[in-house]
Amino acid sequence: MNESSSSSSRAMGTVDVDQAFIQEPEHRPSLSIIEGQGIPVIDLSPVTSNNPSLSSIDALVKEIGSACKEWGFFQVTNHGVPLSLRRNLLEASKSFFAQSFQDKKKVSRDETSASGYYDTEHTKNVRDWKEVFDFLAKEPTLFPLTSDEHDDRILHWTNKNPQHPPHFRDILKEYIKEMEKLSYKLLELIALSLGLESKRFEEFFGDQTSFVRLNYYPPCPYPHLALGVGPHKDSGALTILDQDDVGGLQVKRKTHDQEWINVEPIPHAYIINLADMIQVWSNGAYESVEHRVIVNSEKERFSIPYFLFPAHDIEVKPLKELIHEHNPPKYRPYKSGKFLLKRFEGNFQKHREENLQIHHFKIA
Ligand SMILES: O=C(O)CCC(=O)C(=O)O
Ligand SMILES: [Fe+2]
């Protein structure tokens, strides 16, 4: 966290608490451990090995379908992403965040591009206890200038490229290639599990606006009051997350009790979560699930999500194959890029109004 973050602090008990980080009482985490069955762990070898049998792929599609329905969150093993590349990226991330604030600020995000460093993200209007570096999958990434539906002006976003650590850009580029491969495999499995043609989702991702995020959660002196990331749903298609061995990610269980469940770190696995657009495309058959990150008073934590987003001008709406007389569309169409801009605009200060969410597009 930068030095200016304490400028608005006031004393609360013995710790100096910056009010911008403080969650409303209902969102403050209980730090006791919740026992319970964790999210499913799925072996992807039927689609990553050389000679898969058709029956093993069928079984995998069924497993993915149940995980999507029951949890919206699962972990995958044997996903094909080289471990050495993941280690290199994690080391590069640690070495980037270990620099001084002045050095990190040299690659700050600004209005010319969403790529870069910042430590001021707000989720639902409360400041997150974390630092971030975002890197776009495509260069340039085309994105609307404003959220106004009638404004056709487009920006060409490019990446911010830190001088340190060396090869930062090359490692990220290589990592993005792997994420693209894995995300297309997952989209195929999800399409098949919904009874769709396997490549059904691919057309949305030609000019994709996906990005990799490096998250750094410093130790936090008041983990009972703040969160690394407040409760939210991801707004793209899906997210592929690499987390280190510290833990802190929690997912809201879909059963009636709505408990927060810890997502236990499993060495070498990836966490997959469905995001808002899969919910709309599937007409609510699958749902985007709420999750959050709790912080730790002693340990720092690193995580690396890859957010898969379609092209900015894709109109997101329930897929026609899934719509029929007894299953009419449950969501109004929206333009991917305009929706995201409206949502970001709402993320900037702490105020009580809810920022734009997918349920605002629900047809009553
Ligand atoms: O750090 C994590 O484990 C998850 C972060 C997250 O949910 C997000 O950045 O959207
Ligand atoms: Fe998230």
Side-chain angles (χ1 to χ4, degrees):
M1 297 286 134
N2 73 63
E3 299 81 43
S4 67
S5 32
S6 60
S7 57
S8 61
S9 312
R10 69 184 153 91
M12 207 166 118
T14 52
V15 271
D16 244 8
V17 178
D18 183 334
Q19 295 299 303
F21 290 106
I22 305 308
Q23 298 287 332
E24 297 298 339
E26 71 270 25
H27 291 315
R28 290 180 195 166
S30 143
L31 300 179
S32 59
I33 301 202
I34 300 146
E35 298 292 342
Q37 183 211 359
I39 62 172
V41 181
I42 300 179
D43 179 352
L44 288 187
S45 40
V47 288
T48 49
S49 62
N50 285 334
N51 291 310
S53 69
L54 277 180
S55 63
S56 67
I57 294 181
D58 274 355
L60 175 58
V61 168
K62 287 205 177 73
E63 220 181 329
I64 294 271
S66 326
C68 288
K69 250 202 139 35
E70 283 157 31
W71 284 91
F73 247 89
F74 49 96
Q75 308 217 41
V76 294
T77 57
N78 295 313
H79 41 67
V81 183
L83 185 57
S84 54
L85 177 58
R86 295 175 70 178
R87 287 200 175 122
N88 287 345
L89 182 56
L90 184 62
E91 283 316 308
S93 173
K94 288 187 178 174
S95 148
F96 172 78
F97 287 113
Q99 297 177 100
S100 69
F101 179 57
Q102 273 63 30
D103 282 337
K104 289 184 274 197
K105 248 179 50 176
K106 289 180 191 150
V107 286
S108 275
R109 185 170 76 163
D110 55 35
E111 23 344 296
T112 64
S113 167
S115 166
Y117 168 80
Y118 53 101
D119 69 349
T120 49
E121 185 157 72
H122 289 64
T123 303
K124 307 251 178 93
N125 310 318
V126 185
R127 189 163 165 201
D128 295 329
W129 189 270
K130 67 171 181 184
E131 296 178 33
V132 173
F133 181 84
D134 285 342
F135 193 87
L136 303 159
K138 290 257 183 285
E139 271 189 301
T141 290
L142 307 188
F143 215 75
L145 175 66
T146 71
S147 62
D148 176 355
E149 322 277 327
H150 306 292
D151 184 349
D152 292 335
R153 288 173 297 170
I154 298 296
L155 286 176
H156 288 64
W157 284 344
T158 51
N159 277 313
K160 291 276 174 356
N161 293 296
Q163 296 298 304
H164 179 84
H167 311 300
F168 194 68
R169 182 182 168 84
D170 301 336
I171 299 168
L172 279 160
K173 287 268 178 206
E174 207 181 325
Y175 191 73
I176 284 163
K177 276 194 210 140
E178 292 295 331
M179 288 298 101
E180 287 201 345
K181 269 197 274 176
L182 180 55
S183 57
Y184 282 128
K185 280 189 188 122
L186 290 163
L187 285 175
E188 284 191 27
L189 291 166
I190 292 169
L192 290 169
S193 76
L194 287 165
L196 299 164
E197 192 265 312
S198 66
K199 307 266 188 214
R200 181 63 172 94
F201 291 115
E202 240 169 63
E203 63 181 281
F204 304 138
F205 294 92
D207 265 332
Q208 56 183 276
T209 55
S210 307
F211 60 100
V212 183
R213 171 168 290 175
L214 306 177
N215 278 321
Y216 165 49
Y217 303 93
C220 174
Y222 40 96
H224 51 299
L225 297 175
L227 287 167
V229 187
H232 69 284
K233 298 176 178 185
D234 292 348
S235 43
L238 54 83
T239 303
I240 303 177
L241 176 84
D242 193 0
Q243 67 166 338
D244 67 11
D245 58 3
V246 173
L249 174 63
Q250 297 186 325
V251 47
K252 198 176 243 182
R253 183 156 59 191
K254 283 178 72 177
T255 50
H256 60 279
D257 65 1
Q258 303 258 301
E259 276 287 4
W260 287 104
I261 301 293
N262 292 324
V263 178
E264 299 299 340
I266 299 181
H268 317 327
Y270 274 107
I271 297 154
I272 311 298
N273 67 283
L274 303 185
D276 289 344
M277 293 177 188
I278 293 274
Q279 176 169 335
V280 174
W281 284 324
S282 73
N283 202 30
Y286 295 164
E287 285 169 0
S288 175
V289 177
E290 209 170 6
H291 53 286
R292 68 180 185 184
V293 176
I294 57 172
V295 274
N296 192 299
S297 57
E298 279 139 43
K299 290 185 188 163
E300 55 181 15
R301 173 174 182 263
F302 293 85
S303 75
I304 308 178
Y306 175 77
F307 296 109
L308 180 72
F309 278 93
H312 77 89
D313 56 353
I314 289 297
E315 191 177 54
V316 184
K317 58 183 180 201
L319 296 178
K320 59 180 186 310
E321 300 93 309
L322 300 176
I323 298 303
H324 48 80
E325 198 188 339
H326 303 294
N327 188 20
K330 295 195 176 91
Y331 301 91
R332 284 182 281 124
Y334 64 88
K335 281 273 171 72
S336 167
K338 298 282 183 192
F339 171 81
L340 290 169
L341 273 181
K342 279 200 191 114
R343 185 161 172 170
F344 293 150
E345 285 162 6
N347 260 353
F348 280 105
Q349 342 73 8
K350 183 168 179 169
H351 57 75
R352 288 194 169 268
E353 262 166 62
E354 186 181 41
N355 60 7
L356 191 65
Q357 300 290 323
I358 206 71
H359 67 80
H360 295 135
F361 288 84
K362 200 152 185 180
I363 297 172

